[in-house]
Amino acid sequence: EGLKMRARRSSLSSSSKSEFYGRKQGGFVVGRQGTENRSKSAALGAQMSIAIGKAQRWWEKGLQPNMKEVQGAQDLVDSLFSAGDKLVVVDFFSPGCGGCKALHPKICQLAEMNPDVQFLQVNYEQHKSMCYALNVHVLPFFRFYRGAHGRLCSFSCTNATIKKFKDALAKHSPDRCSLEPPRGLEEKELIALSANKELSFNYTPKPAEQPLAVPAREGIPAEPVLASSHSSSDATLPLPLPLPRPLPLQSTAASKAAQDITDKSLVASGR
């Protein structure tokens, strides 16, 4: 019995050790508890790295539903056209710009206070070629667009000069309606974007406006005239009538002789 009890105790101790420490694989002991601890530490490290990464991306904090980050030149053009008559504010920023980082929370607050205004964010570091084509060289930089009016204003401001941004927002935010299609970027900006080989943006320039032509008359070929010149209806106005020529004046002696003849004829007749 003593031998049986000892064998039983040894088997129990070995089973408990195998359950706690696991079993040997390739000369190494792999334990269940050690594996769980390693998985937990790995998950915790991944969460910490994600949290740190999110903390460094300050431009993603406080975003409102009416704020959007532009993904490229085509996205910017499409966003301006799809906005219709809505006011659009394009915010050019850089992740390494201290002024942009300090101003970002206030821009988010203004976006929350003006839900009808569309805010577009352009990351300068990711879209340098596009910013060069749009002639943006100072940060932070803002441009206001609206419907058929196109670009309304453009300026640079910091946290200390935020009043400039607020004044522009108050001036251009009232509702307006236009029957013409949205204008978006200017013609020269669209051409500059399409000419940049680093951008996948295609644009066909608009044809040049032809000068107005005067209707041809018989024997006279039609000649182009500028829109600011006089209309052809001026040529059909009647010419002024010539003034009557004055009668020649008689000399003093001839008039006196004629008067004497008249007087004599009156005396002869008894008048």
Side-chain angles (χ1 to χ4, degrees):
E1 293 181 0
L3 295 175
K4 292 182 179 179
M5 291 295 293
R6 291 178 183 177
R8 187 176 181 182
R9 289 176 183 175
S10 62
S11 63
L12 290 174
S13 61
S14 62
S15 63
S16 61
K17 289 181 180 180
S18 63
E19 289 179 0
F20 184 80
Y21 293 103
R23 54 184 178 178
K24 292 184 179 181
Q25 291 182 355
F28 296 95
V29 177
V30 180
R32 297 179 181 177
Q33 187 174 0
T35 306
E36 292 178 359
N37 291 335
R38 290 172 188 169
S39 61
K40 288 181 180 180
S41 61
L44 183 60
Q47 292 178 1
M48 291 179 64
S49 62
I50 293 174
I52 293 173
K54 286 186 177 180
Q56 293 176 351
R57 299 172 68 90
W58 55 263
W59 60 93
E60 295 181 351
K61 290 184 176 181
L63 296 181
Q64 302 299 319
N66 56 336
M67 302 181 72
K68 170 190 173 183
E69 185 172 352
V70 173
Q71 302 301 324
Q74 189 64 52
D75 188 19
L76 176 62
V77 174
D78 295 341
S79 299
L80 290 174
F81 273 100
S82 61
D85 291 331
K86 184 184 296 185
L87 178 63
V88 181
V89 178
V90 183
D91 177 8
F92 297 88
F93 73 95
S94 174
C97 174
C100 302
K101 182 178 180 179
L103 189 60
H104 178 73
K106 292 188 177 181
I107 298 298
C108 293
Q109 292 178 0
L110 293 173
E112 184 180 5
M113 296 169 59
N114 299 271
D116 295 333
V117 179
Q118 178 67 51
F119 288 78
L120 301 178
Q121 295 178 294
V122 179
N123 192 327
Y124 183 86
E125 297 299 330
Q126 294 182 358
H127 308 288
K128 286 185 178 180
S129 298
M130 182 176 69
C131 293
Y132 289 157
L134 297 177
N135 199 23
V136 177
H137 305 289
V138 181
L139 297 176
F141 193 76
F142 301 92
R143 279 184 177 170
F144 285 56
Y145 294 87
R146 185 160 204 163
H149 300 280
R151 188 200 301 183
L152 300 174
C153 62
S154 57
F155 55 88
S156 176
C157 73
T158 60
N159 199 10
T161 58
I162 188 63
K163 187 178 182 300
K164 185 188 299 185
F165 186 93
K166 293 180 179 179
D167 293 342
L169 192 63
K171 179 180 179 181
H172 301 294
S173 59
D175 294 336
R176 300 176 187 175
C177 182
S178 177
L179 299 178
E180 299 180 3
R183 183 177 177 182
L185 298 179
E186 297 180 357
E187 181 76 8
K188 60 180 181 180
E189 294 176 334
L190 295 172
I191 295 175
L193 290 175
S194 61
N196 194 322
K197 297 181 180 179
E198 297 182 5
L199 303 175
S200 57
F201 179 77
N202 297 323
Y203 176 74
T204 303
K206 297 180 181 179
E209 297 182 358
Q210 298 295 332
L212 299 177
V214 178
R217 298 183 182 179
E218 296 181 0
I220 303 177
E223 297 181 358
V225 297
L226 298 177
S228 59
S229 62
H230 297 289
S231 60
S232 59
S233 59
D234 296 342
T236 60
L237 295 177
L239 297 177
L241 297 176
L243 296 176
R245 298 178 62 182
L247 297 176
L249 297 178
Q250 297 179 353
S251 62
T252 305
S255 60
K256 186 176 181 180
Q259 185 66 29
D260 293 339
I261 294 173
T262 304
D263 294 340
K264 288 180 182 182
S265 61
L266 293 176
V267 171
S269 60
R271 295 182 180 180

